[in-house]
Amino acid sequence: MLPNVRPENMQRITTIELANAFIDEQVKEIRQQVGDKKVLLALSGGVDSSVVAALLIKAIGKQLVCVHVNHGLMRKGESEQVLEVFGKELDANLIYVDATDRFLGLLEGVSAPEQKRKIIGGEFIKVFDEEASKLKGISFLAQGTIYPDIIESDGVKAHHNVGGLPEEMQFELVEPVRLLYKDEVRVVGSALGLPDNMVYRQPFPGPGLGVRCLGAITRNRLSALREADAILREEFEKGGLAGKVWQYFIAVPDMKSVGVKDGKRYEGWPAIIRAVNTVDAMTATIEEIPYSLLHKITDRITKEVAGINRVLLDLTPKPIGTIEWE
Ligand code: XMP
């Protein structure tokens, strides 16, 4: 990177007009870099990879091959949205791999958080590698690297991102948003016509619901977590909190308590609500959720989600609690 094009000296992309100018410039650059060769992209459905996909589709159409690996730990509706937006609406060259059984099989009985992360990250690379080796004539690998990824080597967040790909992959990189900050990537995404709920998505860890289905993951508890999380997101959306709160989700621990339902003993898991605000995820404060909304969420989750019999609220700032529970 040349010193005079570092983001500090760049005009920040704050409007659709500036985003369009950036897009035009990148389309030219990408075409020049790629020529008539093929480009591979791991499309998670997150903001960065989605924007890179849309940008590359605009620049080189079917020369881009997107691979979406569903590790079975996505939130409700996420893989479906990737298929809808990229497969149908943008008519992308999209390979969808449902690897749910592989991931959940490997994770069976594994309760240590770091071990779970390693399994998920390692298997992701394997699945992606397998798909890549089936393809012929790929010369480039596109990545949704953004500027903070380049400068962030702080050592505090020791997360190996699940999107991290094997170093031995011999592809030249295409990283069209590498000089942008997250806010700018979002503006570019909107200018490219991506839906708001994709562009303004809250951060979601690479290992997905795997770090929120605490302890050893079971299909039943994972499914309860996914449904409860969907209700939380829906109610935050309706209550006007979705665009305001930085990150909010449900965690479900591997423990049961006694409850009562329809006059009978009902043992179930608690759903823990976590809703935090932060600037850089290094420290975080708690969102004050109105009690009326908490009652509504509790009512819906306990009535609608099989296996959940209590709803709890996590009031712990970071530090001392990390944002995620694992
Ligand atoms: P913690 O839990 O460390 O999380 O306070 C800080 C932020 O990072 C996200 N996070 C992850 N992101 N891979 C990721 O890509 C991971 O393994 C991972 N773990 C946590 C977390 O959701 C929060 O936004």
Side-chain angles (χ1 to χ4, degrees):
M1 198 190 318
L2 298 170
N4 62 347
V5 294
R6 290 182 68 85
E8 288 75 13
N9 310 323
M10 273 171 57
Q11 180 172 30
R12 305 308 338 164
I13 300 169
T14 49
T15 64
I16 293 290
E17 290 71 33
L18 291 169
N20 282 328
F22 172 84
I23 292 164
D24 290 344
E25 181 191 294
Q26 283 305 315
V27 164
K28 270 192 218 132
E29 269 188 37
I30 292 165
R31 286 182 183 153
Q32 205 167 26
Q33 184 188 5
V34 171
D36 59 359
K37 303 265 171 40
K38 280 192 192 160
V39 182
L40 181 64
L41 170 73
L43 176 60
S44 67
V47 181
D48 306 333
S49 69
S50 297
V51 172
V52 167
L55 197 51
L56 280 154
I57 290 166
K58 192 175 170 82
I60 56 167
K62 301 264 177 181
Q63 282 166 253
L64 174 72
V65 184
C66 302
V67 177
H68 176 69
V69 177
N70 178 358
H71 51 24
L73 303 163
M74 308 289 280
R75 288 176 293 188
K76 190 172 180 176
E78 275 182 328
S79 282
E80 290 82 353
Q81 188 183 30
V82 169
L83 291 178
E84 179 64 31
V85 172
F86 291 98
K88 285 201 188 140
E89 289 170 25
L90 296 179
D91 192 27
N93 209 340
L94 172 65
I95 297 171
Y96 171 67
V97 189
D98 184 356
T100 303
D101 290 341
R102 270 176 78 159
F103 280 85
L104 296 189
L106 284 171
L107 287 164
E108 217 174 291
V110 181
S111 57
E114 282 308 300
Q115 185 68 16
K116 286 167 70 179
R117 267 209 169 75
K118 271 196 197 120
I119 290 174
I120 298 166
E123 193 61 12
F124 184 91
I125 291 174
K126 251 198 199 160
V127 175
F128 187 77
D129 206 14
E130 280 170 24
E131 290 305 316
S133 62
K134 285 184 208 160
L135 299 166
K136 297 266 167 328
I138 302 282
S139 310
F140 295 89
L141 183 71
Q143 289 194 153
T145 313
I146 65 171
Y147 195 56
D149 298 333
I150 297 172
I151 53 175
E152 193 177 88
S153 50
D154 51 50
V156 176
K157 280 196 259 172
H159 311 127
H160 10 240
N161 211 331
V162 159
L165 296 168
E167 281 174 12
E168 63 275 12
M169 275 193 171
Q170 292 300 316
F171 299 127
E172 192 181 317
L173 293 180
V174 180
E175 296 179 307
V177 297
R178 71 187 175 283
L179 296 182
L180 305 191
Y181 286 102
K182 196 76 159 192
D183 289 353
E184 300 179 287
V185 178
R186 296 192 206 274
V187 181
V188 171
S190 292
L192 285 163
L194 290 177
D196 274 3
N197 65 349
M198 193 168 241
V199 170
Y200 290 95
R201 231 169 80 121
Q202 47 170 325
F204 187 56
L209 299 181
V211 295
R212 299 176 183 171
C213 190
L214 310 177
I217 299 168
T218 60
R219 285 179 193 253
N220 285 348
R221 199 154 51 83
L222 179 62
S223 157
L225 162 62
R226 183 175 283 121
E227 293 304 319
D229 183 70
I231 291 172
L232 179 77
R233 286 195 284 147
E234 207 179 300
E235 291 302 328
F236 264 43
E237 190 78 49
K238 282 194 218 153
L241 287 181
K244 178 176 169 254
V245 183
W246 198 80
Q247 195 171 16
Y248 48 95
F249 57 85
I250 298 282
V252 177
D254 185 12
M255 63 153 290
K256 282 188 171 175
S257 68
V258 177
V260 57
K261 194 176 193 181
D262 304 326
K264 282 195 210 111
R265 182 182 171 103
Y266 185 67
E267 290 187 9
W269 305 290
I272 302 164
I273 299 174
R274 184 127 177 89
V276 299
N277 290 308
T278 177
V279 176
D280 56 9
M282 307 291 268
T283 61
T285 55
I286 296 306
E287 172 71 19
E288 291 191 13
I289 310 168
Y291 259 87
S292 54
L293 184 58
L294 287 170
H295 285 305
K296 182 143 188 247
I297 292 167
T298 303
D299 190 52
R300 280 198 61 195
I301 291 180
T302 50
K303 280 200 178 113
E304 295 174 34
V305 183
I308 303 279
N309 69 350
R310 283 172 202 263
V311 175
L312 316 181
L313 176 62
D314 184 352
L315 287 170
T316 323
K318 177 182 180 176
I320 186 167
T322 50
I323 295 176
E324 302 290 345
W325 271 56
E326 284 191 342

